[in-house]
Amino acid sequence: MSDIFSLKGKKGLVVGIANDQSIAYGCARACREQGADLAITYLNEKSSKYVGPLAEALGAELYLPCDVVVDGQLEAVFEQITAKWGKLDFLLHSIAFAPMEDLHGRVVDCSSNGFSMAMDISCHSFIRMGKLAEPLMTDGGSLMTVSYYGGRKVVEHYNMMGPVKAALEMSVKYMAAELGPKGIRVNAISPGPLKTRAASGISHFDELLEQAAARAPQHHLVGIEDCGSVAAFLAGDGSKTITGTTMFVDGGYHIVG
């Protein structure tokens, strides 16, 4: 029997590594440890000085710029993957953004432009990636994104990202239904609060961390390695019948939060 947890021979794209504390990095590292070949993206030249050494350590076969708001840049990533590999087995989308003034205010006060930008970068970009990945996943595949509990229940100070993550999780379900006949699975990973660069933009975040650790049944915070273990499982053949779901990696916080 083949090792259903091995990713040897599988090709994966990871979008969203900012530094060595990123959820995306934990996921990329776990997938690489299971034998996957990786394509890694970076946002811009400023971020490349942090991401480049990580991509090199991961033995990334492709290292490409990807700012989803720059016309043609996302498409160029998939063109390079097509030229290099001719296929794609899994994809991890771990990007989110909201203008600070909108993120720190009430949902009812957020601007139209700010909300549209947050939806485009944090949600619609995953849909775009799914469309571009579809023709490369001729033997099936796995599309993954990163969500948060604040998309299901009101979490103080999470504000406008709550509706955005709710839209992302519902997009997962519709994409899973549409791509399922082709053997393409679509799932979200929902970690408990983590000290990442993106999370630092949320006001009172340290309080959120303390509350999560206190209330979660396991009484401790999760790490990027925990997210990585779930991502590696979802990327592999062992998860071939799991689709359209949100996998919580939060020490059980979602059952009591």
Side-chain angles (χ1 to χ4, degrees):
M1 179 183 292
S2 62
D3 185 355
I4 61 173
F5 298 107
S6 172
L7 298 180
K8 187 175 182 180
K10 292 191 180 296
K11 313 295 187 184
L13 168 63
V14 178
V15 180
I17 298 177
N19 54 41
D20 62 359
Q21 299 302 308
S22 297
I23 292 170
Y25 175 61
C27 295
R29 188 173 60 191
C31 290
R32 181 61 183 152
E33 287 172 352
Q34 292 302 316
D37 299 316
L38 300 176
I40 302 294
T41 70
Y42 60 95
L43 179 62
N44 51 37
E45 289 304 317
K46 181 179 179 180
S47 68
S48 184
K49 67 180 181 180
Y50 301 102
V51 185
L54 301 177
E56 184 176 356
L58 291 167
E61 296 190 4
L62 289 167
Y63 180 60
L64 304 164
C66 184
D67 184 340
V68 295
V69 303
V70 175
D71 288 342
Q73 206 164 89
L74 179 60
E75 289 75 12
V77 168
F78 282 85
E79 289 171 4
Q80 289 293 317
I81 289 172
T82 301
K84 177 72 174 180
W85 293 333
K87 71 164 191 171
L88 189 66
D89 296 297
F90 66 90
L91 177 156
L92 178 83
H93 166 278
S94 183
I95 58 176
F97 176 80
M100 198 65 72
E101 60 272 21
D102 292 298
L103 179 61
H104 285 177
R106 302 185 306 168
V107 171
V108 295
D109 294 326
C110 73
S111 69
S112 176
N113 286 342
F115 189 79
S116 296
M117 183 182 296
M119 283 291 290
D120 182 48
I121 296 174
S122 311
C123 180
H124 188 250
S125 62
F126 181 55
I127 298 173
R128 289 172 61 198
M129 289 180 197
K131 181 177 178 64
L132 292 166
E134 181 181 4
L136 290 169
M137 293 183 166
T138 53
D139 297 322
S142 175
L143 302 175
M144 297 171 279
T145 188
V146 177
S147 188
Y148 179 60
Y149 180 71
R152 296 193 168 205
K153 298 286 186 179
V154 174
V155 173
E156 192 174 11
H157 306 300
Y158 199 56
N159 302 337
M160 67 176 292
M161 284 307 298
V164 172
K165 290 297 189 182
L168 179 64
E169 289 195 20
M170 188 53 69
S171 297
V172 163
K173 297 179 189 299
Y174 275 89
M175 291 168 67
E178 293 168 355
L179 299 176
K182 295 187 176 183
I184 300 173
R185 314 181 301 280
V186 189
N187 294 288
I189 300 169
S190 183
L194 284 149
K195 285 190 175 182
T196 63
R197 191 180 74 172
S200 65
I202 301 171
S203 62
H204 302 277
F205 189 69
D206 287 342
E207 295 176 17
L208 187 62
L209 291 171
E210 292 174 5
Q211 292 170 6
R215 298 190 64 185
Q218 293 187 336
H219 296 301
H220 63 76
L221 298 173
V222 301
I224 61 172
E225 66 279 1
D226 301 308
C227 301
S229 296
V230 174
F233 169 68
L234 289 175
D237 295 337
S239 65
K240 65 181 180 180
T241 59
I242 300 174
T243 193
T245 192
T246 296
M247 304 285 281
F248 288 98
V249 187
D250 62 0
Y253 180 81
H254 68 282
I255 67 173
V256 297

PDB file of all heavy atoms in Angstrom, residues 12-30:
ATOM      1  N   GLY A  12       3.241  21.758  -5.557  1.00  0.00           N
ATOM      2  CA  GLY A  12       2.347  22.659  -4.837  1.00  0.00           C
ATOM      3  C   GLY A  12       2.770  24.110  -4.912  1.00  0.00           C
ATOM      4  O   GLY A  12       3.968  24.426  -4.939  1.00  0.00           O
ATOM      5  N   LEU A  13       1.785  24.989  -4.943  1.00  0.00           N
ATOM      6  CA  LEU A  13       2.009  26.442  -4.927  1.00  0.00           C
ATOM      7  C   LEU A  13       1.588  26.985  -3.575  1.00  0.00           C
ATOM      8  O   LEU A  13       0.470  26.709  -3.114  1.00  0.00           O
ATOM      9  CB  LEU A  13       1.184  27.113  -6.035  1.00  0.00           C
ATOM     10  CG  LEU A  13       1.074  28.642  -6.002  1.00  0.00           C
ATOM     11  CD1 LEU A  13       2.438  29.292  -6.180  1.00  0.00           C
ATOM     12  CD2 LEU A  13       0.091  29.121  -7.066  1.00  0.00           C
ATOM     13  N   VAL A  14       2.463  27.767  -2.952  1.00  0.00           N
ATOM     14  CA  VAL A  14       2.159  28.396  -1.661  1.00  0.00           C
ATOM     15  C   VAL A  14       2.242  29.904  -1.828  1.00  0.00           C
ATOM     16  O   VAL A  14       3.293  30.444  -2.177  1.00  0.00           O
ATOM     17  CB  VAL A  14       3.131  27.918  -0.562  1.00  0.00           C
ATOM     18  CG1 VAL A  14       2.828  28.633   0.758  1.00  0.00           C
ATOM     19  CG2 VAL A  14       3.030  26.403  -0.379  1.00  0.00           C
ATOM     20  N   VAL A  15       1.118  30.574  -1.565  1.00  0.00           N
ATOM     21  CA  VAL A  15       1.029  32.026  -1.709  1.00  0.00           C
ATOM     22  C   VAL A  15       0.736  32.637  -0.339  1.00  0.00           C
ATOM     23  O   VAL A  15      -0.253  32.276   0.301  1.00  0.00           O
ATOM     24  CB  VAL A  15      -0.088  32.416  -2.699  1.00  0.00           C
ATOM     25  CG1 VAL A  15      -0.162  33.934  -2.846  1.00  0.00           C
ATOM     26  CG2 VAL A  15       0.132  31.752  -4.049  1.00  0.00           C
ATOM     27  N   GLY A  16       1.601  33.531   0.111  1.00  0.00           N
ATOM     28  CA  GLY A  16       1.309  34.234   1.351  1.00  0.00           C
ATOM     29  C   GLY A  16       2.392  34.192   2.412  1.00  0.00           C
ATOM     30  O   GLY A  16       2.185  34.656   3.534  1.00  0.00           O
ATOM     31  N   ILE A  17       3.565  33.659   2.093  1.00  0.00           N
ATOM     32  CA  ILE A  17       4.660  33.691   3.067  1.00  0.00           C
ATOM     33  C   ILE A  17       5.182  35.119   3.173  1.00  0.00           C
ATOM     34  O   ILE A  17       5.535  35.733   2.171  1.00  0.00           O
ATOM     35  CB  ILE A  17       5.799  32.745   2.674  1.00  0.00           C
ATOM     36  CG1 ILE A  17       5.317  31.293   2.635  1.00  0.00           C
ATOM     37  CG2 ILE A  17       6.967  32.886   3.652  1.00  0.00           C
ATOM     38  CD1 ILE A  17       6.389  30.303   2.182  1.00  0.00           C
ATOM     39  N   ALA A  18       5.227  35.641   4.392  1.00  0.00           N
ATOM     40  CA  ALA A  18       5.788  36.970   4.633  1.00  0.00           C
ATOM     41  C   ALA A  18       7.101  36.881   5.411  1.00  0.00           C
ATOM     42  O   ALA A  18       8.016  37.674   5.192  1.00  0.00           O
ATOM     43  CB  ALA A  18       4.803  37.848   5.401  1.00  0.00           C
ATOM     44  N   ASN A  19       7.184  35.904   6.327  1.00  0.00           N
ATOM     45  CA  ASN A  19       8.386  35.688   7.125  1.00  0.00           C
ATOM     46  C   ASN A  19       8.296  34.305   7.758  1.00  0.00           C
ATOM     47  O   ASN A  19       7.393  33.526   7.441  1.00  0.00           O
ATOM     48  CB  ASN A  19       8.549  36.783   8.191  1.00  0.00           C
ATOM     49  CG  ASN A  19       7.312  36.919   9.070  1.00  0.00           C
ATOM     50  OD1 ASN A  19       6.700  35.923   9.471  1.00  0.00           O
ATOM     51  ND2 ASN A  19       6.925  38.156   9.366  1.00  0.00           N
ATOM     52  N   ASP A  20       9.240  33.996   8.649  1.00  0.00           N
ATOM     53  CA  ASP A  20       9.272  32.646   9.212  1.00  0.00           C
ATOM     54  C   ASP A  20       8.215  32.410  10.284  1.00  0.00           C
ATOM     55  O   ASP A  20       8.148  31.308  10.857  1.00  0.00           O
ATOM     56  CB  ASP A  20      10.664  32.318   9.762  1.00  0.00           C
ATOM     57  CG  ASP A  20      11.093  33.232  10.901  1.00  0.00           C
ATOM     58  OD1 ASP A  20      10.326  34.150  11.272  1.00  0.00           O
ATOM     59  OD2 ASP A  20      12.205  33.027  11.434  1.00  0.00           O
ATOM     60  N   GLN A  21       7.377  33.421  10.556  1.00  0.00           N
ATOM     61  CA  GLN A  21       6.262  33.252  11.481  1.00  0.00           C
ATOM     62  C   GLN A  21       4.928  33.113  10.758  1.00  0.00           C
ATOM     63  O   GLN A  21       3.884  32.987  11.387  1.00  0.00           O
ATOM     64  CB  GLN A  21       6.193  34.451  12.440  1.00  0.00           C
ATOM     65  CG  GLN A  21       7.431  34.630  13.306  1.00  0.00           C
ATOM     66  CD  GLN A  21       7.724  33.410  14.160  1.00  0.00           C
ATOM     67  OE1 GLN A  21       6.853  32.928  14.873  1.00  0.00           O
ATOM     68  NE2 GLN A  21       8.946  32.904  14.070  1.00  0.00           N
ATOM     69  N   SER A  22       4.957  33.130   9.436  1.00  0.00           N
ATOM     70  CA  SER A  22       3.732  33.068   8.641  1.00  0.00           C
ATOM     71  C   SER A  22       3.098  31.681   8.676  1.00  0.00           C
ATOM     72  O   SER A  22       3.803  30.661   8.646  1.00  0.00           O
ATOM     73  CB  SER A  22       4.020  33.423   7.178  1.00  0.00           C
ATOM     74  OG  SER A  22       4.484  34.734   7.041  1.00  0.00           O
ATOM     75  N   ILE A  23       1.777  31.663   8.720  1.00  0.00           N
ATOM     76  CA  ILE A  23       1.049  30.398   8.604  1.00  0.00           C
ATOM     77  C   ILE A  23       1.447  29.691   7.318  1.00  0.00           C
ATOM     78  O   ILE A  23       1.666  28.477   7.292  1.00  0.00           O
ATOM     79  CB  ILE A  23      -0.468  30.644   8.650  1.00  0.00           C
ATOM     80  CG1 ILE A  23      -0.887  31.137  10.035  1.00  0.00           C
ATOM     81  CG2 ILE A  23      -1.238  29.374   8.278  1.00  0.00           C
ATOM     82  CD1 ILE A  23      -2.321  31.629  10.110  1.00  0.00           C
ATOM     83  N   ALA A  24       1.557  30.461   6.234  1.00  0.00           N
ATOM     84  CA  ALA A  24       1.913  29.876   4.943  1.00  0.00           C
ATOM     85  C   ALA A  24       3.275  29.194   4.993  1.00  0.00           C
ATOM     86  O   ALA A  24       3.480  28.156   4.347  1.00  0.00           O
ATOM     87  CB  ALA A  24       1.903  30.958   3.861  1.00  0.00           C
ATOM     88  N   TYR A  25       4.201  29.751   5.769  1.00  0.00           N
ATOM     89  CA  TYR A  25       5.520  29.129   5.874  1.00  0.00           C
ATOM     90  C   TYR A  25       5.423  27.806   6.616  1.00  0.00           C
ATOM     91  O   TYR A  25       6.042  26.813   6.218  1.00  0.00           O
ATOM     92  CB  TYR A  25       6.505  30.054   6.573  1.00  0.00           C
ATOM     93  CG  TYR A  25       7.846  29.408   6.819  1.00  0.00           C
ATOM     94  CD1 TYR A  25       8.619  28.951   5.763  1.00  0.00           C
ATOM     95  CD2 TYR A  25       8.325  29.213   8.115  1.00  0.00           C
ATOM     96  CE1 TYR A  25       9.842  28.332   5.979  1.00  0.00           C
ATOM     97  CE2 TYR A  25       9.543  28.600   8.345  1.00  0.00           C
ATOM     98  CZ  TYR A  25      10.303  28.154   7.280  1.00  0.00           C
ATOM     99  OH  TYR A  25      11.496  27.526   7.500  1.00  0.00           O
ATOM    100  N   GLY A  26       4.647  27.777   7.695  1.00  0.00           N
ATOM    101  CA  GLY A  26       4.461  26.524   8.424  1.00  0.00           C
ATOM    102  C   GLY A  26       3.872  25.446   7.527  1.00  0.00           C
ATOM    103  O   GLY A  26       4.261  24.270   7.593  1.00  0.00           O
ATOM    104  N   CYS A  27       2.951  25.850   6.657  1.00  0.00           N
ATOM    105  CA  CYS A  27       2.317  24.902   5.738  1.00  0.00           C
ATOM    106  C   CYS A  27       3.307  24.446   4.666  1.00  0.00           C
ATOM    107  O   CYS A  27       3.373  23.250   4.332  1.00  0.00           O
ATOM    108  CB  CYS A  27       1.091  25.537   5.098  1.00  0.00           C
ATOM    109  SG  CYS A  27      -0.242  25.907   6.275  1.00  0.00           S
ATOM    110  N   ALA A  28       4.054  25.388   4.110  1.00  0.00           N
ATOM    111  CA  ALA A  28       5.039  25.040   3.087  1.00  0.00           C
ATOM    112  C   ALA A  28       6.093  24.086   3.646  1.00  0.00           C
ATOM    113  O   ALA A  28       6.472  23.102   2.991  1.00  0.00           O
ATOM    114  CB  ALA A  28       5.704  26.312   2.559  1.00  0.00           C
ATOM    115  N   ARG A  29       6.549  24.362   4.849  1.00  0.00           N
ATOM    116  CA  ARG A  29       7.586  23.530   5.467  1.00  0.00           C
ATOM    117  C   ARG A  29       7.095  22.109   5.687  1.00  0.00           C
ATOM    118  O   ARG A  29       7.812  21.133   5.402  1.00  0.00           O
ATOM    119  CB  ARG A  29       8.033  24.167   6.780  1.00  0.00           C
ATOM    120  CG  ARG A  29       9.246  23.513   7.431  1.00  0.00           C
ATOM    121  CD  ARG A  29       9.704  24.327   8.615  1.00  0.00           C
ATOM    122  NE  ARG A  29       8.664  24.441   9.635  1.00  0.00           N
ATOM    123  CZ  ARG A  29       8.725  25.266  10.673  1.00  0.00           C
ATOM    124  NH1 ARG A  29       9.765  26.085  10.813  1.00  0.00           N
ATOM    125  NH2 ARG A  29       7.753  25.307  11.568  1.00  0.00           N
ATOM    126  N   ALA A  30       5.855  21.987   6.170  1.00  0.00           N
ATOM    127  CA  ALA A  30       5.302  20.650   6.414  1.00  0.00           C
ATOM    128  C   ALA A  30       5.127  19.876   5.114  1.00  0.00           C
ATOM    129  O   ALA A  30       5.407  18.671   5.055  1.00  0.00           O
ATOM    130  CB  ALA A  30       3.965  20.779   7.144  1.00  0.00           C
TER     131      ALA A  30
END
